[in-house]
Amino acid sequence: MDNITKTATFLKSLSDPTRLRIIEFLVSAGQPRCVGAISKHINVSQSATSQHLRILRQANLVQSARRGYHIHYEINHEEMKKYMEQLQKILNL
């Protein structure tokens, strides 16, 4: 997949307000959070939150790790940085 296609996937994954709220919450939390905490904070059902997290995981914007019975999510800072740098190059900023 070329850089333009990857950047388009990145932008598509962030095009939903709920997904942006999830990203904002994970950034502000500063530590991994489970689906329950995320869904409670953004006021969306756990099943809908899980679906949005799946899209963010597919774009490699969040990482997940199992801790006991729960899966915790956090921002993938390395990938986020790569996408932002690519977007800056495309927009000539």
Side-chain angles (χ1 to χ4, degrees):
M1 193 181 309
D2 68 347
N3 286 335
I4 296 291
T5 305
K6 287 180 183 179
T7 303
T9 302
F10 163 73
L11 293 172
K12 285 179 191 176
S13 66
L14 294 178
S15 66
D16 184 272
T18 301
R19 291 193 285 272
L20 280 175
R21 285 186 193 99
I22 291 170
I23 294 292
E24 179 183 47
F25 175 64
L26 290 175
V27 168
S28 68
Q31 60 185 347
R33 296 291 183 178
C34 67
V35 173
I38 296 168
S39 66
K40 184 177 179 180
H41 182 80
I42 64 172
N43 199 28
V44 174
S45 71
Q46 286 190 14
S47 60
T49 300
S50 292
Q51 292 301 313
H52 287 293
L53 284 165
R54 179 181 54 81
I55 292 167
L56 293 171
R57 265 195 339 262
Q58 287 174 340
N60 207 19
L61 298 178
V62 297
Q63 303 173 96
S64 60
R66 181 172 290 282
R67 294 184 182 171
Y69 293 109
H70 301 283
I71 297 176
H72 286 74
Y73 296 87
E74 65 182 333
I75 297 293
N76 184 343
H77 293 284
E78 292 295 320
E79 280 299 307
M80 192 70 76
K81 184 178 177 182
K82 288 178 190 176
Y83 284 125
M84 295 306 296
E85 288 171 355
Q86 182 61 30
L87 189 57
Q88 286 177 331
K89 286 179 186 176
I90 291 169
L91 297 175
N92 198 24
L93 298 176

